[in-house]
Amino acid sequence: MRALLFDSYGPPDVLRVGWVDRPVPGPGQVRIRVRAAAVNPVDWKIRSGASAAFHRLSLPHIPGQDAAGVVDEIGPGVTGAYIGDEIFGSTATGASAEYALLDATAWAYRPTGLSWAEAAVLPSAAETGLRAVDLLGVADGDVVLVNGAAGAVGLAASQFAMARGASVIGTAGDHNHAFLAGLGITPTRYGAGLIERVRARTPGVNRALNAAGREALPDLIALTGAAERVITVVAEPAAAELGVRFTTGAERRYWQALQLAVDLHEKGRFTLPVQQVFPLAEGAEAHRRSERGHGLGKLVLQP
């Protein structure tokens, strides 16, 4: 099969399209012919070597975690999946390839109305967003501040929180405020003066999620009144010192997150926008765009 590969850590230019053996599904796995694969920030952090201490790789390596496609082979012990099923989820092999493996607990059926690209961008963002909302204990009537609400994880968490009856205030660049407001999120700007801006919009915030690396943790603690009411999904150096929990995903729950995202999507209450779809041969450009910060919407590769 054709796959996007890198043989050594480095800038986007280390990526190339090459030929490798198709993966064979083991027990509890299915193989899909990939129709779309998401490009997430963790992909280029792994490729660059920035997170080499946390991700040990065998080279050459196929980047990518999230994919959508059609089941073409089923491993031993799998139930509920059949050849030809259209599914999406987190891959056990690299997503940026013509074929990929998915574990039985890490996929969901692609619903009518969700494009291949839209399905591919859901898994990691939805799982991380729901995990953060669960750890915060968000419930009906809460007021949640999401720092980085226009990013994929922040946007997923915001929509999951609102589905529980919470109100959400989200920080974002001015150009994304109209989009957030259209989803029912109260937008405000990043940066200096955040405490005053938030307090002008609500009498109190009792939960906060940091989904953007903008050194906002002291403000989030001040607004919620306690470090225990703040979660960060960004590895901020000050988090441990301030007593803020950093969730790394040691216990991922893709099945629950994907099912909830699908249910809410079918009710018109969950969306993650796609900004651009690239052919596999332009994988280096997709990574380059992701590193620069590509604005609203996820980037997708189409093998």
Side-chain angles (χ1 to χ4, degrees), residues 160-189:
F160 286 141
M162 290 189 296
R164 294 187 179 186
S167 300
V168 175
I169 299 174
T171 68
D174 291 345
H175 56 289
N176 289 326
H177 283 194
F179 174 78
L180 294 182
L183 296 178
I185 301 166
T186 301
T188 190
R189 296 193 312 277

PDB file of all heavy atoms in Angstrom, residues 160-189:
ATOM      1  N   PHE A 160     -19.835  19.120  24.356  1.00  0.00           N
ATOM      2  CA  PHE A 160     -20.211  18.089  25.321  1.00  0.00           C
ATOM      3  C   PHE A 160     -20.725  18.729  26.615  1.00  0.00           C
ATOM      4  O   PHE A 160     -21.677  18.243  27.225  1.00  0.00           O
ATOM      5  CB  PHE A 160     -19.015  17.190  25.636  1.00  0.00           C
ATOM      6  CG  PHE A 160     -18.661  16.224  24.541  1.00  0.00           C
ATOM      7  CD1 PHE A 160     -17.332  15.955  24.237  1.00  0.00           C
ATOM      8  CD2 PHE A 160     -19.646  15.568  23.810  1.00  0.00           C
ATOM      9  CE1 PHE A 160     -16.993  15.054  23.246  1.00  0.00           C
ATOM     10  CE2 PHE A 160     -19.317  14.659  22.810  1.00  0.00           C
ATOM     11  CZ  PHE A 160     -17.990  14.404  22.528  1.00  0.00           C
ATOM     12  N   ALA A 161     -20.066  19.812  27.045  1.00  0.00           N
ATOM     13  CA  ALA A 161     -20.496  20.503  28.269  1.00  0.00           C
ATOM     14  C   ALA A 161     -21.897  21.088  28.093  1.00  0.00           C
ATOM     15  O   ALA A 161     -22.750  20.976  28.990  1.00  0.00           O
ATOM     16  CB  ALA A 161     -19.499  21.596  28.632  1.00  0.00           C
ATOM     17  N   MET A 162     -22.158  21.706  26.950  1.00  0.00           N
ATOM     18  CA  MET A 162     -23.481  22.276  26.717  1.00  0.00           C
ATOM     19  C   MET A 162     -24.548  21.193  26.647  1.00  0.00           C
ATOM     20  O   MET A 162     -25.696  21.404  27.063  1.00  0.00           O
ATOM     21  CB  MET A 162     -23.466  23.114  25.438  1.00  0.00           C
ATOM     22  CG  MET A 162     -22.658  24.403  25.574  1.00  0.00           C
ATOM     23  SD  MET A 162     -22.849  25.522  24.157  1.00  0.00           S
ATOM     24  CE  MET A 162     -22.132  24.546  22.842  1.00  0.00           C
ATOM     25  N   ALA A 163     -24.189  20.015  26.144  1.00  0.00           N
ATOM     26  CA  ALA A 163     -25.146  18.915  26.083  1.00  0.00           C
ATOM     27  C   ALA A 163     -25.571  18.464  27.476  1.00  0.00           C
ATOM     28  O   ALA A 163     -26.648  17.886  27.646  1.00  0.00           O
ATOM     29  CB  ALA A 163     -24.548  17.737  25.314  1.00  0.00           C
ATOM     30  N   ARG A 164     -24.740  18.747  28.478  1.00  0.00           N
ATOM     31  CA  ARG A 164     -25.073  18.409  29.871  1.00  0.00           C
ATOM     32  C   ARG A 164     -25.837  19.529  30.569  1.00  0.00           C
ATOM     33  O   ARG A 164     -26.147  19.412  31.744  1.00  0.00           O
ATOM     34  CB  ARG A 164     -23.791  18.111  30.642  1.00  0.00           C
ATOM     35  CG  ARG A 164     -23.066  16.875  30.170  1.00  0.00           C
ATOM     36  CD  ARG A 164     -21.895  16.528  31.057  1.00  0.00           C
ATOM     37  NE  ARG A 164     -21.228  15.320  30.591  1.00  0.00           N
ATOM     38  CZ  ARG A 164     -20.236  14.718  31.239  1.00  0.00           C
ATOM     39  NH1 ARG A 164     -19.789  15.231  32.386  1.00  0.00           N
ATOM     40  NH2 ARG A 164     -19.685  13.621  30.749  1.00  0.00           N
ATOM     41  N   GLY A 165     -26.081  20.599  29.846  1.00  0.00           N
ATOM     42  CA  GLY A 165     -26.815  21.702  30.445  1.00  0.00           C
ATOM     43  C   GLY A 165     -25.955  22.810  30.984  1.00  0.00           C
ATOM     44  O   GLY A 165     -26.459  23.731  31.646  1.00  0.00           O
ATOM     45  N   ALA A 166     -24.654  22.763  30.731  1.00  0.00           N
ATOM     46  CA  ALA A 166     -23.753  23.811  31.199  1.00  0.00           C
ATOM     47  C   ALA A 166     -23.752  24.985  30.223  1.00  0.00           C
ATOM     48  O   ALA A 166     -24.038  24.830  29.034  1.00  0.00           O
ATOM     49  CB  ALA A 166     -22.330  23.267  31.353  1.00  0.00           C
ATOM     50  N   SER A 167     -23.393  26.163  30.732  1.00  0.00           N
ATOM     51  CA  SER A 167     -23.131  27.329  29.890  1.00  0.00           C
ATOM     52  C   SER A 167     -21.633  27.393  29.651  1.00  0.00           C
ATOM     53  O   SER A 167     -20.841  27.077  30.545  1.00  0.00           O
ATOM     54  CB  SER A 167     -23.598  28.612  30.583  1.00  0.00           C
ATOM     55  OG  SER A 167     -24.980  28.565  30.852  1.00  0.00           O
ATOM     56  N   VAL A 168     -21.221  27.797  28.451  1.00  0.00           N
ATOM     57  CA  VAL A 168     -19.801  27.807  28.104  1.00  0.00           C
ATOM     58  C   VAL A 168     -19.383  29.183  27.624  1.00  0.00           C
ATOM     59  O   VAL A 168     -20.033  29.789  26.762  1.00  0.00           O
ATOM     60  CB  VAL A 168     -19.483  26.761  27.013  1.00  0.00           C
ATOM     61  CG1 VAL A 168     -18.018  26.870  26.572  1.00  0.00           C
ATOM     62  CG2 VAL A 168     -19.783  25.351  27.520  1.00  0.00           C
ATOM     63  N   ILE A 169     -18.288  29.673  28.205  1.00  0.00           N
ATOM     64  CA  ILE A 169     -17.594  30.862  27.714  1.00  0.00           C
ATOM     65  C   ILE A 169     -16.298  30.374  27.092  1.00  0.00           C
ATOM     66  O   ILE A 169     -15.554  29.609  27.722  1.00  0.00           O
ATOM     67  CB  ILE A 169     -17.304  31.859  28.843  1.00  0.00           C
ATOM     68  CG1 ILE A 169     -18.613  32.339  29.475  1.00  0.00           C
ATOM     69  CG2 ILE A 169     -16.500  33.052  28.328  1.00  0.00           C
ATOM     70  CD1 ILE A 169     -18.406  33.217  30.691  1.00  0.00           C
ATOM     71  N   GLY A 170     -16.019  30.775  25.859  1.00  0.00           N
ATOM     72  CA  GLY A 170     -14.848  30.267  25.167  1.00  0.00           C
ATOM     73  C   GLY A 170     -13.932  31.359  24.670  1.00  0.00           C
ATOM     74  O   GLY A 170     -14.382  32.323  24.048  1.00  0.00           O
ATOM     75  N   THR A 171     -12.634  31.224  24.945  1.00  0.00           N
ATOM     76  CA  THR A 171     -11.675  32.175  24.402  1.00  0.00           C
ATOM     77  C   THR A 171     -11.288  31.771  22.987  1.00  0.00           C
ATOM     78  O   THR A 171     -11.160  30.585  22.671  1.00  0.00           O
ATOM     79  CB  THR A 171     -10.397  32.272  25.255  1.00  0.00           C
ATOM     80  OG1 THR A 171      -9.668  31.046  25.157  1.00  0.00           O
ATOM     81  CG2 THR A 171     -10.731  32.560  26.716  1.00  0.00           C
ATOM     82  N   ALA A 172     -11.111  32.766  22.134  1.00  0.00           N
ATOM     83  CA  ALA A 172     -10.747  32.518  20.739  1.00  0.00           C
ATOM     84  C   ALA A 172     -10.331  33.834  20.114  1.00  0.00           C
ATOM     85  O   ALA A 172     -10.592  34.918  20.663  1.00  0.00           O
ATOM     86  CB  ALA A 172     -11.924  31.926  19.965  1.00  0.00           C
ATOM     87  N   GLY A 173      -9.671  33.757  18.972  1.00  0.00           N
ATOM     88  CA  GLY A 173      -9.368  34.954  18.207  1.00  0.00           C
ATOM     89  C   GLY A 173     -10.660  35.602  17.725  1.00  0.00           C
ATOM     90  O   GLY A 173     -11.671  34.932  17.518  1.00  0.00           O
ATOM     91  N   ASP A 174     -10.611  36.910  17.536  1.00  0.00           N
ATOM     92  CA  ASP A 174     -11.811  37.650  17.143  1.00  0.00           C
ATOM     93  C   ASP A 174     -12.471  37.069  15.900  1.00  0.00           C
ATOM     94  O   ASP A 174     -13.703  37.078  15.771  1.00  0.00           O
ATOM     95  CB  ASP A 174     -11.470  39.119  16.900  1.00  0.00           C
ATOM     96  CG  ASP A 174     -11.110  39.857  18.186  1.00  0.00           C
ATOM     97  OD1 ASP A 174     -11.404  39.310  19.274  1.00  0.00           O
ATOM     98  OD2 ASP A 174     -10.543  40.954  18.104  1.00  0.00           O
ATOM     99  N   HIS A 175     -11.670  36.569  14.951  1.00  0.00           N
ATOM    100  CA  HIS A 175     -12.217  36.072  13.689  1.00  0.00           C
ATOM    101  C   HIS A 175     -13.042  34.799  13.872  1.00  0.00           C
ATOM    102  O   HIS A 175     -13.766  34.394  12.961  1.00  0.00           O
ATOM    103  CB  HIS A 175     -11.087  35.815  12.688  1.00  0.00           C
ATOM    104  CG  HIS A 175     -10.030  34.870  13.208  1.00  0.00           C
ATOM    105  ND1 HIS A 175      -9.143  35.222  14.200  1.00  0.00           N
ATOM    106  CD2 HIS A 175      -9.732  33.592  12.868  1.00  0.00           C
ATOM    107  CE1 HIS A 175      -8.335  34.202  14.453  1.00  0.00           C
ATOM    108  NE2 HIS A 175      -8.679  33.204  13.663  1.00  0.00           N
ATOM    109  N   ASN A 176     -12.959  34.149  15.053  1.00  0.00           N
ATOM    110  CA  ASN A 176     -13.729  32.934  15.305  1.00  0.00           C
ATOM    111  C   ASN A 176     -14.937  33.165  16.211  1.00  0.00           C
ATOM    112  O   ASN A 176     -15.677  32.224  16.518  1.00  0.00           O
ATOM    113  CB  ASN A 176     -12.834  31.859  15.938  1.00  0.00           C
ATOM    114  CG  ASN A 176     -11.831  31.293  14.948  1.00  0.00           C
ATOM    115  OD1 ASN A 176     -12.122  31.168  13.765  1.00  0.00           O
ATOM    116  ND2 ASN A 176     -10.647  30.968  15.431  1.00  0.00           N
ATOM    117  N   HIS A 177     -15.144  34.407  16.649  1.00  0.00           N
ATOM    118  CA  HIS A 177     -16.211  34.675  17.608  1.00  0.00           C
ATOM    119  C   HIS A 177     -17.601  34.400  17.032  1.00  0.00           C
ATOM    120  O   HIS A 177     -18.464  33.852  17.718  1.00  0.00           O
ATOM    121  CB  HIS A 177     -16.116  36.119  18.111  1.00  0.00           C
ATOM    122  CG  HIS A 177     -15.031  36.309  19.122  1.00  0.00           C
ATOM    123  ND1 HIS A 177     -14.928  37.427  19.924  1.00  0.00           N
ATOM    124  CD2 HIS A 177     -13.980  35.517  19.471  1.00  0.00           C
ATOM    125  CE1 HIS A 177     -13.869  37.312  20.708  1.00  0.00           C
ATOM    126  NE2 HIS A 177     -13.284  36.167  20.446  1.00  0.00           N
ATOM    127  N   ALA A 178     -17.833  34.778  15.790  1.00  0.00           N
ATOM    128  CA  ALA A 178     -19.156  34.568  15.199  1.00  0.00           C
ATOM    129  C   ALA A 178     -19.472  33.085  15.102  1.00  0.00           C
ATOM    130  O   ALA A 178     -20.618  32.665  15.357  1.00  0.00           O
ATOM    131  CB  ALA A 178     -19.231  35.227  13.828  1.00  0.00           C
ATOM    132  N   PHE A 179     -18.491  32.283  14.748  1.00  0.00           N
ATOM    133  CA  PHE A 179     -18.696  30.838  14.657  1.00  0.00           C
ATOM    134  C   PHE A 179     -19.072  30.264  16.013  1.00  0.00           C
ATOM    135  O   PHE A 179     -20.034  29.485  16.133  1.00  0.00           O
ATOM    136  CB  PHE A 179     -17.442  30.151  14.119  1.00  0.00           C
ATOM    137  CG  PHE A 179     -17.522  28.655  14.127  1.00  0.00           C
ATOM    138  CD1 PHE A 179     -18.248  27.976  13.153  1.00  0.00           C
ATOM    139  CD2 PHE A 179     -16.883  27.920  15.111  1.00  0.00           C
ATOM    140  CE1 PHE A 179     -18.335  26.585  13.168  1.00  0.00           C
ATOM    141  CE2 PHE A 179     -16.964  26.534  15.134  1.00  0.00           C
ATOM    142  CZ  PHE A 179     -17.695  25.869  14.162  1.00  0.00           C
ATOM    143  N   LEU A 180     -18.329  30.625  17.061  1.00  0.00           N
ATOM    144  CA  LEU A 180     -18.622  30.108  18.398  1.00  0.00           C
ATOM    145  C   LEU A 180     -20.004  30.547  18.870  1.00  0.00           C
ATOM    146  O   LEU A 180     -20.759  29.748  19.433  1.00  0.00           O
ATOM    147  CB  LEU A 180     -17.555  30.578  19.391  1.00  0.00           C
ATOM    148  CG  LEU A 180     -16.131  30.048  19.181  1.00  0.00           C
ATOM    149  CD1 LEU A 180     -15.208  30.570  20.275  1.00  0.00           C
ATOM    150  CD2 LEU A 180     -16.100  28.528  19.143  1.00  0.00           C
ATOM    151  N   ALA A 181     -20.320  31.809  18.635  1.00  0.00           N
ATOM    152  CA  ALA A 181     -21.632  32.317  19.058  1.00  0.00           C
ATOM    153  C   ALA A 181     -22.759  31.553  18.378  1.00  0.00           C
ATOM    154  O   ALA A 181     -23.816  31.308  18.974  1.00  0.00           O
ATOM    155  CB  ALA A 181     -21.733  33.809  18.771  1.00  0.00           C
ATOM    156  N   GLY A 182     -22.539  31.168  17.120  1.00  0.00           N
ATOM    157  CA  GLY A 182     -23.552  30.419  16.396  1.00  0.00           C
ATOM    158  C   GLY A 182     -23.826  29.041  16.980  1.00  0.00           C
ATOM    159  O   GLY A 182     -24.881  28.463  16.746  1.00  0.00           O
ATOM    160  N   LEU A 183     -22.863  28.520  17.750  1.00  0.00           N
ATOM    161  CA  LEU A 183     -23.035  27.218  18.397  1.00  0.00           C
ATOM    162  C   LEU A 183     -23.587  27.353  19.814  1.00  0.00           C
ATOM    163  O   LEU A 183     -23.837  26.344  20.476  1.00  0.00           O
ATOM    164  CB  LEU A 183     -21.698  26.476  18.454  1.00  0.00           C
ATOM    165  CG  LEU A 183     -21.064  26.095  17.119  1.00  0.00           C
ATOM    166  CD1 LEU A 183     -19.720  25.419  17.348  1.00  0.00           C
ATOM    167  CD2 LEU A 183     -21.982  25.195  16.314  1.00  0.00           C
ATOM    168  N   GLY A 184     -23.745  28.583  20.281  1.00  0.00           N
ATOM    169  CA  GLY A 184     -24.234  28.795  21.637  1.00  0.00           C
ATOM    170  C   GLY A 184     -23.157  29.030  22.657  1.00  0.00           C
ATOM    171  O   GLY A 184     -23.426  29.092  23.869  1.00  0.00           O
ATOM    172  N   ILE A 185     -21.903  29.177  22.215  1.00  0.00           N
ATOM    173  CA  ILE A 185     -20.772  29.462  23.100  1.00  0.00           C
ATOM    174  C   ILE A 185     -20.594  30.979  23.184  1.00  0.00           C
ATOM    175  O   ILE A 185     -20.608  31.657  22.154  1.00  0.00           O
ATOM    176  CB  ILE A 185     -19.481  28.816  22.561  1.00  0.00           C
ATOM    177  CG1 ILE A 185     -19.656  27.297  22.450  1.00  0.00           C
ATOM    178  CG2 ILE A 185     -18.276  29.169  23.425  1.00  0.00           C
ATOM    179  CD1 ILE A 185     -18.574  26.613  21.633  1.00  0.00           C
ATOM    180  N   THR A 186     -20.421  31.500  24.386  1.00  0.00           N
ATOM    181  CA  THR A 186     -20.184  32.933  24.554  1.00  0.00           C
ATOM    182  C   THR A 186     -18.706  33.209  24.316  1.00  0.00           C
ATOM    183  O   THR A 186     -17.858  32.766  25.097  1.00  0.00           O
ATOM    184  CB  THR A 186     -20.574  33.402  25.968  1.00  0.00           C
ATOM    185  OG1 THR A 186     -21.954  33.128  26.186  1.00  0.00           O
ATOM    186  CG2 THR A 186     -20.320  34.891  26.134  1.00  0.00           C
ATOM    187  N   PRO A 187     -18.337  33.927  23.242  1.00  0.00           N
ATOM    188  CA  PRO A 187     -16.922  34.107  22.932  1.00  0.00           C
ATOM    189  C   PRO A 187     -16.312  35.304  23.647  1.00  0.00           C
ATOM    190  O   PRO A 187     -16.982  36.297  23.946  1.00  0.00           O
ATOM    191  CB  PRO A 187     -16.934  34.345  21.417  1.00  0.00           C
ATOM    192  CG  PRO A 187     -18.252  35.014  21.166  1.00  0.00           C
ATOM    193  CD  PRO A 187     -19.220  34.461  22.185  1.00  0.00           C
ATOM    194  N   THR A 188     -15.018  35.203  23.910  1.00  0.00           N
ATOM    195  CA  THR A 188     -14.252  36.329  24.424  1.00  0.00           C
ATOM    196  C   THR A 188     -12.813  36.179  23.953  1.00  0.00           C
ATOM    197  O   THR A 188     -12.422  35.109  23.476  1.00  0.00           O
ATOM    198  CB  THR A 188     -14.317  36.411  25.964  1.00  0.00           C
ATOM    199  OG1 THR A 188     -13.748  37.650  26.398  1.00  0.00           O
ATOM    200  CG2 THR A 188     -13.558  35.255  26.613  1.00  0.00           C
ATOM    201  N   ARG A 189     -12.024  37.234  24.073  1.00  0.00           N
ATOM    202  CA  ARG A 189     -10.652  37.217  23.553  1.00  0.00           C
ATOM    203  C   ARG A 189      -9.688  36.539  24.530  1.00  0.00           C
ATOM    204  O   ARG A 189      -9.923  36.474  25.722  1.00  0.00           O
ATOM    205  CB  ARG A 189     -10.162  38.634  23.275  1.00  0.00           C
ATOM    206  CG  ARG A 189     -10.918  39.357  22.197  1.00  0.00           C
ATOM    207  CD  ARG A 189     -10.178  40.623  21.763  1.00  0.00           C
ATOM    208  NE  ARG A 189      -9.747  41.425  22.900  1.00  0.00           N
ATOM    209  CZ  ARG A 189     -10.523  42.289  23.542  1.00  0.00           C
ATOM    210  NH1 ARG A 189     -11.786  42.443  23.183  1.00  0.00           N
ATOM    211  NH2 ARG A 189     -10.056  42.985  24.559  1.00  0.00           N
TER     212      ARG A 189
END
